[in-house]
Amino acid sequence: MNLLIIRLIIFAVLFFAGLKLYGMYREWKLDRETLEQNPERRDGGQMVRCQWCNVHVPEQDALREQQQWFCSSAHRDRFLQEQREEAPTQHQHEDPDKRD
Ligand SMILES: [Zn+2]
């Protein structure tokens, strides 16, 4: 009879330990999912500078074009337009580093 009670106790302990582990696993998984959904939370949100107006904006709100950052599509378009006007006929067919 004693053995049965000990078995019951062991079973109960294992059962509650399993429940607790499952709860911890669920919390861990939820944490991971929120981190994956908001990756900027990991590095605290990096700031980048708009090439047009020099305003600093969080990386996730900025736009990237030609390895430059912009705060909005309007500034990106204006920057690209000005770039085109500054260098109107410089179409390079060859890579300048690839001499010889
Ligand atoms: Zn801007």
Side-chain angles (χ1 to χ4, degrees), residues 20-89:
K20 200 168 161 61
L21 273 174
Y22 179 68
M24 281 166 70
Y25 169 74
R26 272 191 61 180
E27 257 178 54
W28 170 80
K29 213 180 151 191
L30 269 173
D31 266 6
R32 269 189 65 121
E33 272 166 14
T34 38
L35 272 180
E36 272 160 23
Q37 276 161 15
N38 309 296
E40 73 270 12
R41 272 179 57 188
R42 258 190 303 235
D43 48 21
Q46 212 182 333
M47 300 296 278
V48 293
R49 192 168 57 93
C50 174
Q51 283 294 314
W52 183 257
C53 63
N54 289 343
V55 151
H56 283 83
V57 285
E59 199 178 317
Q60 69 266 21
D61 293 338
L63 292 163
R64 196 158 193 212
E65 185 75 40
Q66 296 181 0
Q67 295 174 338
Q68 314 270 21
W69 288 100
F70 301 96
C71 66
S72 62
S73 58
H75 282 180
R76 179 197 61 195
D77 292 346
R78 287 183 72 172
F79 179 85
L80 291 176
Q81 200 180 356
E82 180 146 296
Q83 217 179 28
R84 243 175 276 139
E85 282 163 11
E86 272 176 13
T89 51

